[in-house]
Amino acid sequence: MKVVALISGGKDSCYNMMQCVAAGHRIVALANLRPADTDELDSYMYQTVGHQAIDLYAEAMDLPLYRRTIQGSSLETSKNYSKTEGDEVEDLYELLLLVQKKEGVEAVSVGAILSDYQRVRVENVCLRLGLQPLAYLWHRDQESLLSEMISSDLRAILIKVAAFGLDPKKHLGKPLADMESYLKQLSQQYGVHVCGEGGEYETFTLDCPLFKKKIVIDAAETVIHSADAFAPVGYLHFNKMHTESKDGDVVARGLPYGSCPCQSAIDKMTEEVEYADQTEDNQQESTSNCDLSCHRGHDLLPSWSKRSSRGFQWISGISGLQNQEVGIQVQAQAAFTQLQCELGSRGWKMEHIVLVHLYVRCMEDFAPLNIVYKTYFGMNPPARVCVQAPLPACQLLQMDCLLHDWTGPPDEGCFHQRDALHVQSLSHWAPANIGPYSQAVRVDHLVFCAGQIALVPCTMDLVKAGIRAQASLAFSYVKKVLEAVIGSLTIAHVIQAHCYAIRYGDIPIIKAVWENMLKATKEEKDLRWDRESNPPPLLVMVVPALPKGAAVEVHVTAIQDDPTDWTSCHVTSDVAYGSIECHTTFSTDMSTASFNMSLVVAGDDPEVAGVEGTTEALATVFTNAVKKMGAELLPLCARVFYKCTHPMARQIIKGLEESLRISLGDSCPSVSLVPVLDLPDCQILHLSCWLSS
């Protein structure tokens, strides 16, 4: 892509340019925002110290430089940003609009590492202009990133210091390479950000492999901004500078083409022997052979849960069957019309949706469906899971939603928190959104993640690897997303985990990868579980297809809690045709729980005559389990995955919701019936329920 690089003069914006070139993009222009009549502007968004030398960047790189004087100020300082007249972000919009018109750029290079504040605002501007943000430094490990910058022949000096341990008289003007070990020492002793992400220091780049000429400082003076005894603040003011031609006729293009941290990590994963790739699997991969005539179609009605005391409520059974016309976009519009009507009847709005489960009959409908889907959500849409399921021929989609709004003010000394992690920049961190959804939504101490598949973050292409590497990569993205939302979260904090696969033979490998990651997390964090407490099981279902042709997709719900204090229980009950197995996991404060109930049947085609008794047995086991949990925990969604080719399973789901409503009354959960191709361990049905106080 043709890229304009946002430059401040610092190491981060410069190194991100190098990463863009390594990824195959072409830097065609530079852009910079400068203060009006001062060395440094008090800005939440922009580094302005050293702006006097930015003009030399254009000369050094032999590229056009577009500059704009900052006219606005920091008006809209909340976590989210929307167009605000007079805000300094609108100066960025006008600058990039000009570059877009003049140079025809398609993407923007931005050097953000940790600042959500900066990332959100750049992404807002890029979205409005139809540009792709490229933030290859986003959430990189700072120690390794700093070493990587220095080893890549990026020559930068410190031009501002503002932290304990950094002295303007000693450290201003020092090469970054000379400061590396000292910065790491400060990080270990005082928590200083090694890359200066806390504002501890700022840099100016004098040379890098992209420069055709190097920048030379002729004269500079030290300005003491604050003579604090413990953390004095000072910066360099450049009085005179010039460029010089570099030795040699050939200028490097940056990093070697194709070199990228995420691809290196993926390559390491794929060095393992992929036994699963050699497995022949005759599992159906389409719905063509599934006789689904018994499955609910036109009689599918919305199913509501009761609202919990913490403000959660679930609605299932949303489809586009009210419109008889064929076409995914028509049915999608009908489904959202139905959803809005249902929400309005109970005082909810679309903005209250936290999580969406979307099942489509054909994955080829994914792109046209997204066109409709995105029109119903704003800048921070809910998290989403989207997979193909063997729905009836007339039904192209099925949707259920988790809603939340607080029912009252927080307890004294506490506060409510709802945030969305909606990263749209291409990076080396984790995949950007491939649809109109957020990677995760946080509600107080709960985090609801979107489905993750094994994409290469910097290209958004599916990794070319077998199931072991795909599972490892998808699970690692879950880990990264959780950490980005709440720094202390790990996969050990996952209280409910669903995984979709396209081959039955992959299930043991997927489960083994998950168990190994949990084990590694326990060892790394020194987590010690009580004998009577175990993490919730990973539920794996086989479906016809996943987005981008992935082999596995994982979706989790996590809680900020001490997982070693969770309680769990496992119970098995015998029934006429097999057994019912139940596993329950409670959070430490008993505010959240997950419940899994599976029906295991030996043989493929048992008699259907005793189905009614089995249905009642399932309803009874579920009801008894819910009642034992206490009145405070309310079952919100009972997601019933059932083997679509099994006659008994298809008969059971016809009467299961009614049996649950008879047994539980108003406390019955929203019931989402999801046909799948297969389930593990002779299961023909698996009910997964999330409960909240």
Side-chain angles (χ1 to χ4, degrees):
M1 289 187 288
K2 295 173 67 177
V3 177
V4 55
L6 291 176
I7 59 168
S8 63
K11 65 183 185 341
D12 301 338
S13 59
C14 185
Y15 191 63
N16 199 72
M17 282 196 294
M18 294 170 64
Q19 292 283 328
C20 289
V21 172
H25 303 300
R26 184 161 61 97
I27 309 294
V28 298
L30 308 174
N32 170 262
L33 286 156
R34 61 187 170 196
D37 299 301
T38 182
D39 278 346
E40 185 178 23
L41 184 70
D42 185 15
S43 168
Y44 288 96
M45 272 290 289
Y46 313 117
Q47 173 186 322
T48 55
V49 64
H51 71 89
Q52 305 94 342
I54 289 295
D55 286 333
L56 294 179
Y57 254 68
E59 187 177 338
M61 295 188 69
D62 192 23
L63 288 174
L65 170 65
Y66 293 84
R67 303 194 75 179
R68 177 183 171 90
T69 300
I70 300 170
Q71 299 171 9
S73 57
S74 304
L75 299 179
E76 173 54 270
T77 58
S78 62
K79 286 189 174 183
N80 301 317
Y81 180 82
S82 57
K83 182 179 177 181
T84 304
E85 292 298 330
D87 193 281
E88 60 185 357
V89 175
E90 297 310 309
D91 290 309
L92 177 62
Y93 176 88
E94 294 299 331
L95 176 62
L96 291 182
L97 176 62
L98 174 63
V99 181
Q100 186 181 42
K101 289 178 179 178
K102 295 286 187 179
E103 303 291 342
V105 294
E106 305 160 88
V108 179
S109 170
V110 55
I113 298 177
L114 278 181
S115 174
D116 276 309
Y117 186 93
Q118 289 179 339
R119 177 189 58 78
V120 164
R121 281 150 180 78
V122 172
E123 288 181 348
N124 175 275
V125 169
C126 287
L127 180 65
R128 289 154 59 189
L129 292 172
L131 298 172
Q132 174 62 58
L134 305 174
Y136 292 118
L137 312 188
W138 179 248
H139 268 259
R140 291 282 310 277
D141 175 75
Q142 291 191 45
E143 282 202 13
S144 61
L145 178 59
L146 182 63
S147 298
E148 191 179 293
M149 288 180 182
I150 294 168
S151 64
S152 298
D153 293 327
L154 184 149
R155 292 185 55 243
I157 60 170
L158 269 62
I159 60 167
K160 181 182 177 182
V161 294
F164 186 76
L166 292 175
D167 188 337
K169 296 178 182 179
K170 292 181 182 180
H171 300 122
L172 286 179
K174 274 206 166 189
L176 188 62
D178 294 351
M179 292 292 296
E180 181 182 6
S181 60
Y182 184 61
L183 290 170
K184 290 180 178 179
Q185 180 183 331
L186 290 180
S187 175
Q188 294 171 357
Q189 291 180 339
Y190 308 117
V192 169
H193 289 80
V194 170
C195 284
E197 281 300 286
E200 295 90 344
Y201 70 93
E202 291 179 5
T203 60
F204 190 86
T205 303
L206 300 177
D207 192 15
C208 83
L210 297 181
F211 285 12
K212 296 180 179 180
K213 296 180 179 181
K214 60 184 178 182
I215 299 173
V216 179
I217 303 171
D218 298 310
E221 61 180 309
T222 298
V223 178
I224 302 299
H225 186 271
S226 170
D228 185 89
F230 296 100
V233 178
Y235 63 88
L236 283 183
H237 174 85
F238 298 130
N239 294 321
K240 186 179 180 182
M241 305 179 76
H242 71 278
T243 61
E244 287 183 2
S245 296
K246 297 167 69 170
D247 294 335
D249 297 327
V250 180
V251 177
R253 54 180 290 123
L255 299 177
Y257 176 75
S259 65
C260 91
C262 53
Q263 188 61 58
S264 298
I266 291 166
D267 290 342
K268 188 176 283 189
M269 286 183 187
T270 55
E271 288 175 2
E272 303 175 31
V273 178
E274 291 288 346
Y275 296 106
D277 291 350
Q278 310 302 322
T279 303
E280 289 188 8
D281 189 14
N282 295 321
Q283 180 62 46
Q284 292 169 312
E285 295 195 12
S286 70
T287 61
S288 57
N289 295 324
C290 289
D291 177 11
L292 299 175
S293 57
C294 296
H295 178 54
R296 295 195 307 179
H298 291 285
D299 61 338
L300 186 66
L301 297 174
S303 172
W304 282 91
S305 73
K306 190 178 178 180
R307 188 172 181 181
S308 73
S309 62
R310 291 177 180 257
F312 290 102
Q313 191 169 16
W314 215 298
I315 178 173
S316 303
I318 299 298
S319 71
L321 292 175
Q322 300 79 10
N323 194 314
Q324 300 301 311
E325 292 186 38
V326 178
I328 186 62
Q329 291 189 332
V330 173
Q331 283 206 13
Q333 288 171 342
F336 276 104
T337 298
Q338 179 189 31
L339 177 61
Q340 288 177 315
C341 182
E342 287 288 330
L343 298 186
S345 69
R346 298 188 180 227
W348 291 102
K349 298 178 181 178
M350 295 291 289
E351 64 194 46
H352 293 130
I353 299 176
V354 170
L355 174 67
V356 174
H357 284 258
L358 184 60
Y359 301 99
V360 295
R361 191 172 189 276
C362 178
M363 194 50 68
E364 293 179 0
D365 288 337
F366 187 64
L369 172 59
N370 272 336
I371 294 173
V372 176
Y373 186 98
K374 68 182 181 182
T375 63
Y376 289 90
F377 297 103
M379 59 182 172
N380 284 320
R384 189 180 74 179
V385 186
C386 182
V387 303
Q388 181 174 322
L391 301 173
C394 59
Q395 185 180 342
L396 303 183
L397 67 100
Q398 179 175 307
M399 183 165 54
D400 60 80
C401 307
L402 171 64
L403 303 127
H404 178 267
D405 193 19
W406 290 282
T407 55
D411 295 335
E412 187 176 351
C414 300
F415 62 93
H416 288 317
Q417 185 169 0
R418 172 170 169 167
D419 298 312
L421 181 67
H422 187 213
V423 180
Q424 301 166 74
S425 302
L426 294 186
S427 69
H428 296 312
W429 166 69
N433 305 106
I434 60 172
Y437 61 89
S438 296
Q439 281 95 344
V441 174
R442 174 185 182 177
V443 178
D444 291 335
H445 62 316
L446 288 162
V447 178
F448 304 92
C449 290
Q452 290 291 338
I453 60 176
L455 298 178
V456 181
C458 61
T459 65
M460 295 301 290
D461 295 327
L462 185 71
V463 64
K464 295 178 180 178
I467 185 60
R468 192 179 305 277
Q470 285 205 35
S472 298
L473 204 55
F475 296 157
S476 74
Y477 294 151
V478 169
K479 177 177 178 288
K480 289 181 178 181
V481 167
L482 291 176
E483 289 173 349
V485 178
I486 301 176
S488 61
L489 285 189
T490 68
I491 61 169
H493 293 84
V494 170
I495 198 163
Q496 186 178 56
H498 293 161
C499 194
Y500 299 91
I502 61 170
R503 291 183 294 269
Y504 184 84
D506 290 344
I507 294 177
I509 299 171
I510 293 169
K511 287 190 171 183
V513 172
W514 179 256
E515 290 298 326
N516 288 338
M517 288 196 71
L518 272 176
K519 182 180 178 181
T521 301
K522 293 176 188 178
E523 293 173 353
E524 179 187 352
K525 302 296 183 181
D526 194 26
L527 301 174
R528 302 178 186 276
W529 265 265
D530 186 273
R531 286 185 178 181
E532 298 181 359
S533 176
N534 291 299
L538 175 71
L539 173 59
V540 185
M541 294 73 61
V542 181
V543 295
L546 295 170
K548 294 269 191 173
V552 60
E553 178 174 352
V554 62
H555 156 66
V556 307
T557 298
I559 181 170
Q560 187 182 23
D561 200 358
D562 183 355
T564 62
D565 286 337
W566 291 357
T567 55
S568 62
C569 62
H570 182 270
V571 177
T572 300
S573 306
D574 293 329
V575 290
Y577 296 106
S579 63
I580 299 174
E581 296 185 6
C582 300
H583 188 286
T584 311
T585 303
F586 299 91
S587 64
T588 302
D589 62 359
M590 303 296 285
S591 66
T592 300
S594 64
F595 175 80
N596 289 279
M597 178 176 72
S598 59
L599 175 61
V600 178
V601 173
D604 291 331
D605 295 301
E607 295 292 331
V608 183
V611 164
E612 185 175 339
T614 305
T615 304
E616 294 300 325
L618 287 166
T620 299
V621 169
F622 181 80
T623 300
N624 290 340
V626 169
K627 289 181 178 178
K628 285 181 181 179
M629 294 181 199
E632 289 188 0
L633 274 176
L634 184 70
L636 290 171
C637 180
R639 191 172 307 281
V640 183
F641 300 102
Y642 66 95
K643 192 172 177 179
C644 68
T645 55
H646 201 288
M648 186 176 184
R650 287 162 49 189
Q651 287 296 319
I652 287 173
I653 59 102
K654 285 185 175 181
L656 183 59
E657 182 175 1
E658 183 180 357
S659 295
L660 291 174
R661 294 211 173 276
I662 291 172
S663 300
L664 290 167
D666 290 341
S667 296
C668 182
S670 168
V671 178
S672 177
L673 302 174
V674 184
V676 295
L677 297 182
D678 215 338
L679 292 163
D681 306 324
C682 298
Q683 297 175 20
I684 66 167
L685 179 148
H686 192 116
L687 184 153
S688 178
C689 184
W690 183 67
L691 303 93
S692 174
S693 61

